[in-house]
């Protein structure tokens, strides 16, 4: 094997890594270093994953080595490698996750001449004669990308590329500072006197833009004073600090006896190698305080900590509390950060300036070193699963990261996923329980209103009399209410009364949802949008009827029933506006809203002390979905939203409206009996061989042409069946539940059984059909969260 050949992962949806040769002028880059390499007609930045694993016939040369030290710490490189294997994902797409966010380019490098006069008319050398230049500046002057040219000059020893000078790309703040020499200097001219005067007034040190404020012409005088030694320029890097990282310090409450008892084994395990825990704490039991204390201990031990939340926009309180408690060492990886802020936070973590990373799913790849603790809050949340390639589960990756780092993994939830609870039963995770709420309030009382009865009696289809009265009562007492309906929009479909056809998305096999009071028709899958049709697309009939209802309609119904109430809505439609979610939550928190209507977004970990009523408009949404997790999801959602009622010192009440009041998911959510639900649901999973009783691999094959797609799916399923050998079962091919999406037909092949055997067989089948580089139109979902 060529000792100068390295394996490189490219940030492309390709199933293999590629081998390149490192030319003699470069030090051999180690694993985790970025390199610039030719790929077809392009140049791309890849990541060295190690020495070459095979010897290809032809091998291209690395154009440039971009880092002196590995950008990704070794455990993160291991994590990316594991993900590629575990999820059958494109290696380059996994490795991309451990790199800084997009926008960090090689052009940060600074190029300088190394000794001697340039002897030829090379434009690069000439440009550098006046002094070192950033690569990006050179590129602008050169018209053509000078990277390859510079790489050759570097190998010839004629230029040097300095990565470190500006590599992290922080904005530099430049200060002018008076020196001792300034005292002996007689300023020449009024401009110099003005500069010195301004600096003295500022206490001897000021930002250059401040010194020059309103008079940019002072620049020359400043430069001359620098030449004379009266002023020196100091540079400091400016970290763009997101607003959310600022806030008042927080007090540290006395831990309760329950908190102390769950903390004891966690604290004892810190610093002792990998140890996974499942913290089952009912809503309002004080899990956050347990997290904070474990993080504090981790920091004391000189190690760093990760705290994952399902959705950062929905957890402003947690973020503020964390910043208040832990201070400047916290970095928040928020989807609403600007590119610059994101970049700065990444480097703060990489360089150890920040030691605690808080963020959603992808924060599991935060470039912290010496990680001692990985926390996953609300570990049951489906939001942890990424629904595009690589289709990883943030919780599972978090546990693997903890294992690779030798850290404690702490998974917390009031409604643990069946997987995690199963792992706890099997002894893989140590189970900790917080059985009680903080404070004097017990769990809220839950009542079910049987919709079948109230429907017969007529009346409002959205608010039953009990729910409406309960809302009115809260309004009178100046308490707050949450109203859940896990369905956004105004109406769920537009139906033709003459021929019975529904308005459908032209690209997907999905009915259009009506929004904006019924004026706009929207596909929730491909975002197709049109104004609501006036006539049936099928029979041209003009008698169209809106059926079903979503959060928009609920808002309307509440406003009609309680005209004095201040009502707001929180759902995904709102979330498209930057900052809107935070505004609605803040207004509710401040008591400026009486009733908050929303989808599952209102059920997440909020802690609103003045909420005493939670109404679930239709508890059956989701129960009818053709998905093995339908009951689990419903149980979790109802238990979570019920947990929002009655915190602090006010008792809570929950009203569920349902057509299926006898369903076990509803019954057990009312009884808040997690253990009974777990046993009951596990029975179903065992009988049907669904997770956690079995492993699933879901293959979705997409094709423009339906016949072609069906044939491909058939061939792959046949091939997989021949490999099964009793290790797994192959179901399908069948039309996927979403049979058409974005104009493509979708076929599904579902595998149930042993993980390794399934993975090997799927890989072999896909390589046989498509080759080892690209699997076009195939989505492999290992451990799917949903098979819809
Ligand atoms: P969970 O995340 O388990 O639902 P939280 O962490 O939100 O619960 O805690 C519920 C409430 O109890 C919060 O208002 C929190 O500030 C408060 N709390 C938690 N621990 C303590 C404590 N030790 N002493 C006093 N209040 C506490
Ligand atoms: Zn669509």
């Amino acid at each position: 094997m060529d000792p100068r050949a390295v394996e490189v992962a490219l940030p492309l949806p390709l199933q293999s890594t590629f081998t390149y040769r490192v030319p003699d002028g470069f030090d051999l880059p180690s694993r985790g270093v970025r390199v610039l390499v030719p790929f077809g007609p392009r140049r791309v930045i890849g990541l060295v994953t190690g020495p070459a694993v095979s010897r290809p016939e032809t091998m291209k040369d690395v154009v440039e080595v971009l880092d002196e030290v590995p950008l990704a710490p070794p455990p993160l490189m291991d994590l990316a490698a594991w993900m590629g294997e575990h999820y059958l994902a494109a290696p380059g797409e996994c490795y991309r996750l451990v790199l800084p966010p997009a926008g960090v380019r090689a052009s940060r490098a600074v190029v300088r001449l190394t000794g001697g006069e340039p002897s030829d008319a090379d434009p690069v050398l000439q440009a550098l004669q006046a002094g070192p230049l950033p690569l990006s500046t050179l590129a602008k002057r050169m018209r053509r990308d000078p990277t390859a040219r510079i790489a050759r000059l570097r190998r010839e020893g004629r230029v040097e590329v300095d990565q470190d000078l500006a590599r992290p790309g922080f904005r530099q703040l430049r200060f002018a500072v008076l020196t001792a020499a300034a005292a002996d200097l007689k300023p020449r001219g009024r401009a110099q006197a003005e500069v010195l005067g301004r600096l003295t007034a500022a206490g001897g040190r000021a930002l250059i833009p401040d010194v020059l404020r309103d008079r940019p012409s002072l620049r020359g005088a400043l430069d001359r004073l620098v030449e004379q030694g009266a002023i020196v320029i100091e540079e400091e890097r400016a970290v763009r600090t997101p607003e959310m990282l600022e806030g008042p310090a927080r007090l540290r409450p006395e831990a309760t006896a329950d908190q102390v008892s769950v903390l004891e084994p966690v604290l004892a395990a810190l610093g002792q190698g990998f140890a996974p825990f499942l913290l089952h704490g009912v809503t309002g039991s004080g899990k956050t305080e347990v997290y904070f204390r474990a993080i504090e201990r981790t920091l004391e031990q000189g190690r760093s900590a990760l705290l994952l939340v399902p959705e950062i926009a929905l957890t402003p309180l947690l973020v503020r509390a964390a910043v208040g408690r832990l201070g400047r060492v916290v970095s928040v990886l928020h989807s609403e950060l600007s590119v610059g802020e994101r970049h700065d936070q990444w480097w703060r973590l990489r360089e150890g300036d920040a030691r605690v990373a808080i963020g959603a799913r992808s924060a599991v790849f935060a470039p912290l070193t010496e990680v001692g603790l990985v926390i996953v809050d609300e570990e049951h949340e489906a939001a942890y699963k990424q629904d595009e390639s690589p289709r990883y589960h943030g919780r599972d990756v978090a546990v693997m990261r903890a294992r690779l780092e030798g850290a404690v993994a702490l998974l917390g939830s009031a409604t643990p996923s069946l997987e995690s609870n199963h792992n706890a039963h099997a002894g893989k995770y140590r189970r900790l329980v917080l059985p009680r709420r903080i404070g004097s309030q017990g769990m809220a009382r839950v009542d079910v209103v049987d919709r079948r009865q109230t429907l017969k009696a007529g009346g409002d289809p959205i608010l039953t009399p009990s729910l409406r009265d309960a809302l009115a009562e809260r309004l009178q007492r100046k308490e707050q209410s949450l109203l859940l309906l896990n369905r956004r929009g105004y109406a769920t479909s537009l139906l033709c009364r003459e021929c019975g056809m529904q308005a459908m998305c032209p690209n997907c096999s999905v009915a259009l949802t009506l929004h904006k009071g019924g004026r706009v028709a929207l596909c929730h899958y491909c975002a197709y949008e049109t104004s609501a049709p006036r006539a049936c697309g099928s029979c041209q009939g003009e008698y169209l009827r809106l059926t079903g209802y979503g959060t928009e309609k609920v808002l309307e119904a509440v406003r009609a029933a309680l005209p004095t109430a201040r009502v707001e809505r929180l759902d995904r439609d709102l979330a498209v506006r930057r900052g809107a979610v935070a505004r609605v939550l803040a207004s509710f928190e401040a008591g400026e809203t009486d009733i908050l209507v929303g989808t599952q977004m209102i059920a997440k970990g909020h802690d609103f002390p003045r909420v005493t009523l939670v109404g679930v408009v239709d508890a059956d949404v989701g129960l009818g979905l053709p998905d093995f997790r339908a009951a689990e999801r419903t149980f979790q959602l109802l238990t979570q939203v019920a947990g929002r009622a009655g915190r602090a010192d006010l008792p809570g009440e929950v009203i569920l409206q349902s057509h299926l009041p006898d369903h076990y998911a509803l019954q057990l959510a009312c009884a808040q009996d997690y253990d009974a639900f777990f046993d009951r649901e596990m029975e179903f999973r065992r009988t049907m061989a669904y997770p956690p009783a079995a492993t699933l691999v879901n293959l979705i094959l997409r094709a423009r042409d339906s016949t072609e797609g069906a044939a491909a799916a058939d061939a792959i399923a046949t091939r997989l069946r021949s490999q099964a050998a009793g290790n797994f079962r192959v179901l399908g091919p069948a039309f996927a539940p979403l049979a058409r999406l974005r104009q493509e037909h979708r076929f599904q092949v579902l595998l149930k059984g042993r993980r390794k055997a399934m993975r090997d067989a799927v890989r072999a089948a896909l390589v046989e059909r498509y080759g080892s580089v690209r699997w076009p139109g195939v989505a492999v979902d290992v451990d799917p969260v949903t098979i819809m």
Side-chain angles (χ1 to χ4, degrees):
M1 199 74 67
D2 187 338
R4 296 198 64 85
V6 290
E7 207 64 22
V8 176
L10 304 179
L12 302 166
L14 305 172
Q15 291 298 325
S16 57
T17 52
F18 297 86
T19 312
Y20 288 90
R21 197 176 172 284
V22 181
D24 291 332
F26 295 109
D27 291 341
L28 204 60
S30 48
R31 185 169 174 246
V33 160
R34 292 174 306 163
V35 286
L36 189 68
V37 295
F39 188 73
R42 292 191 286 164
R43 290 220 176 81
V44 291
I45 295 177
L47 197 64
V48 174
T49 61
V53 293
S54 65
R55 180 201 287 265
E57 278 155 32
T58 59
M59 213 181 341
K60 289 191 178 153
D61 274 5
V62 164
V63 176
E64 181 64 282
V65 177
L66 298 174
D67 306 301
E68 255 125 62
V69 290
L71 211 54
L76 276 179
M77 293 297 290
D78 294 339
L79 192 66
W82 173 82
M83 281 177 60
E85 281 293 309
H86 186 86
Y87 293 108
L88 288 177
E93 293 188 323
C94 297
Y95 282 104
R96 178 158 53 183
L97 295 167
V98 306
L99 290 178
V104 181
R105 295 173 312 261
S107 54
R108 289 289 180 193
V110 171
V111 187
R112 68 173 86 245
L113 287 178
T114 46
E117 286 296 304
S119 56
D120 54 18
D122 186 296
V124 173
L125 297 178
Q126 287 201 334
L128 290 174
Q129 256 176 325
L133 284 174
L135 188 53
S136 52
T137 312
L138 273 176
K140 269 185 218 132
R141 289 199 196 164
M142 268 343 91
R143 252 187 323 147
R144 284 191 50 201
D145 182 3
T147 327
R149 177 93 199 97
I150 289 166
R152 200 161 74 236
L153 289 169
R154 179 179 153 154
R155 260 172 271 146
E156 291 165 5
R158 306 177 69 176
V159 302
E160 207 172 70
V161 181
D162 190 342
Q163 310 286 343
D164 277 341
L165 241 189
R167 187 191 55 207
F170 284 98
R171 210 151 48 88
Q172 298 290 326
L173 296 179
R174 303 185 74 219
F175 290 90
V177 184
L178 282 182
T179 66
D184 308 329
L185 183 96
K186 245 182 74 65
R188 263 179 285 166
R190 253 188 282 161
Q192 287 198 7
E194 175 70 20
V195 168
L196 291 174
R198 284 183 172 200
L199 256 181
T200 312
R205 187 174 194 267
L207 278 170
I208 291 182
D210 288 343
V211 178
L212 305 181
R213 197 184 35 232
D214 307 329
R215 282 189 63 186
S217 60
L218 292 177
R219 178 94 233 180
L222 176 73
D223 287 346
R224 233 148 302 123
L225 287 165
V226 171
E227 279 161 28
Q228 291 164 27
I231 291 176
V232 293
I233 305 294
E234 285 179 3
E235 293 202 341
E236 209 174 82
R237 86 183 190 194
V239 175
R240 285 154 281 201
T241 306
E243 206 182 318
M244 70 198 80
L245 282 187
E246 285 156 2
R250 294 278 173 123
L251 292 179
R252 190 167 184 266
E254 194 73 32
T256 63
D258 284 341
Q259 286 170 334
V260 169
S261 74
V262 301
L263 269 163
E264 196 208 349
V266 175
L267 299 184
L270 285 172
Q272 307 292 316
F274 174 59
F277 292 89
L278 173 63
L279 173 59
H280 180 187
V282 300
T283 49
S285 60
K287 295 186 284 294
T288 316
E289 184 59 28
V290 173
Y291 302 155
F292 288 172
R293 287 184 182 237
I295 293 173
E296 284 168 351
R297 178 65 62 86
T298 306
L299 293 173
E300 282 164 27
Q301 293 181 345
R303 306 185 89 194
S304 60
L306 255 167
L307 171 54
L308 302 185
V309 296
E311 195 168 344
I312 197 98
L314 293 179
T315 33
L317 297 180
L318 178 100
V319 170
R320 247 180 290 149
V323 172
R325 268 294 278 283
L326 305 162
R328 285 257 317 135
V329 294
V330 174
S331 171
V332 180
L333 304 167
H334 195 300
S335 54
E336 287 188 356
L337 294 187
S338 69
V339 174
E341 287 172 339
R342 203 169 301 189
H343 163 271
D344 290 3
Q345 294 304 319
W346 196 91
W347 281 102
R348 284 185 69 209
L349 292 161
R350 180 69 184 97
E351 295 183 341
D353 177 31
R355 303 290 284 156
V356 179
I358 303 181
R361 188 173 62 220
S362 63
V364 73
F365 305 108
L368 289 163
T369 50
E370 295 169 281
V371 175
L373 175 65
V374 181
I375 300 171
V376 184
D377 189 27
E378 311 287 358
E379 65 84 28
H380 64 278
E381 279 285 345
Y384 282 118
K385 177 81 177 184
Q386 170 141 307
D387 58 8
E388 57 191 49
S389 182
R391 292 179 171 72
Y392 68 93
H393 198 299
R395 175 201 55 223
D396 298 341
V397 175
V399 173
M400 182 45 74
R401 176 147 194 205
R403 180 189 290 274
L404 293 169
E405 303 265 6
V408 165
L410 181 57
L411 313 180
S413 175
T415 51
S417 62
L418 263 72
E419 278 83 352
S420 294
N421 210 50
H422 182 68
N423 281 334
H425 274 289
K428 284 193 199 161
Y429 298 166
R430 186 151 165 201
R431 188 181 152 115
L432 309 167
V433 182
L434 287 172
R436 272 173 295 267
R437 283 189 159 185
I438 299 274
S440 51
Q441 295 305 327
M443 302 306 286
R445 200 184 81 223
V446 185
D447 293 316
V448 181
V449 178
D450 187 343
R451 255 299 171 59
R452 295 167 302 189
Q453 305 301 321
T454 56
L455 263 191
K456 265 184 240 152
D460 191 331
I462 296 180
L463 298 179
T464 58
S466 351
L467 185 51
R468 191 192 52 230
D469 293 349
L471 284 169
E473 202 181 298
R474 292 325 184 280
L475 205 55
Q476 204 143 47
R477 293 211 301 255
K478 303 211 175 336
E479 293 169 4
Q480 291 175 302
S481 307
L482 289 172
L483 262 191
L484 173 83
L485 178 67
N486 203 15
R487 200 161 52 203
R488 65 194 166 93
Y490 186 78
T492 47
S493 70
L494 190 63
L495 211 62
C496 171
R497 286 208 256 186
E498 291 179 25
C499 74
M501 289 296 282
Q502 263 185 327
M504 300 292 287
C505 174
N507 308 318
C508 311
S509 52
V510 168
L512 293 173
T513 307
L514 284 302
H515 287 249
K516 308 217 165 100
R519 293 189 304 280
V520 171
L522 200 69
C523 172
H524 281 187
Y525 288 85
C526 75
Y528 169 84
E529 191 181 324
T530 175
S531 55
R534 308 221 158 211
C536 171
S538 178
C539 75
Q540 316 311 322
E542 287 177 14
Y543 297 96
L544 303 181
R545 188 165 61 115
L546 294 173
T547 60
Y549 56 89
T551 42
E552 261 188 52
K553 188 81 165 270
V554 174
L555 190 81
E556 198 178 273
V558 174
R559 285 198 171 135
L562 305 163
T564 59
R566 297 165 299 172
V567 196
E568 291 245 39
R569 202 185 82 211
L570 181 62
D571 58 27
R572 203 64 50 215
D573 291 331
L574 181 81
V576 298
R577 269 178 287 149
R578 195 183 149 114
V581 170
R583 268 197 302 281
V584 169
L585 287 175
S587 132
F588 194 66
E589 196 194 348
E592 292 156 9
T593 308
D594 301 309
I595 302 172
L596 184 59
V597 174
T599 55
Q600 36 91 27
M601 287 175 84
I602 64 169
K604 306 290 166 78
H606 318 294
D607 181 23
F608 300 118
R610 296 209 56 84
V611 170
T612 59
L613 173 70
V614 167
V616 180
V617 177
D618 182 353
D620 316 332
V621 177
L623 270 182
L625 296 177
D627 192 65
F628 70 97
R629 268 185 229 274
E632 181 184 3
R633 286 263 182 85
T634 302
F635 175 83
Q636 285 164 345
L637 179 60
L638 297 180
T639 310
Q640 290 284 344
V641 75
R644 306 300 132 214
R647 299 192 140 206
D649 46 359
L650 298 167
E653 185 187 357
V654 182
I655 297 178
L656 307 182
Q657 304 185 142
S658 167
H659 292 98
L660 304 163
D662 301 324
H663 193 287
Y664 66 98
L666 251 70
Q667 287 284 322
L668 294 172
C670 290
Q672 318 222 359
D673 191 344
Y674 175 85
D675 292 329
F677 177 78
F678 176 75
D679 292 341
R680 170 82 200 248
E681 184 67 11
M682 274 307 291
E683 240 175 75
F684 161 68
R685 305 283 175 98
R686 278 197 200 93
T687 317
M688 302 297 293
Y690 279 125
T695 299
L696 298 185
V697 177
N698 196 20
L699 292 181
I700 299 275
L701 294 111
R702 305 183 304 267
R704 287 263 161 176
D705 183 87
S706 156
T707 324
E708 242 167 60
D714 211 37
I716 285 169
T718 306
R719 158 83 213 231
L720 287 171
R721 273 201 186 88
S722 73
Q723 302 286 300
N727 287 319
F728 57 86
R729 288 202 295 146
V730 181
L731 286 79
F735 289 112
L738 199 57
R740 207 164 145 260
L741 182 65
R742 297 187 190 94
Q743 303 192 342
E744 287 181 319
H745 298 274
R746 290 154 42 94
F747 300 87
Q748 173 175 296
V749 179
L750 184 64
L751 283 71
K752 294 179 175 180
R754 298 224 175 96
R755 183 181 296 281
K756 183 161 184 324
M758 291 192 291
R759 258 184 350 219
D760 292 347
V762 169
R763 187 186 296 281
L766 294 176
V767 167
E768 185 183 273
R769 184 166 182 97
Y770 301 107
S772 60
V773 179
R774 255 169 59 75
W775 298 344
V778 182
V780 184
D781 194 353
V782 176
D783 300 330
V785 154
T786 160
I787 51 173
M788 281 189 38

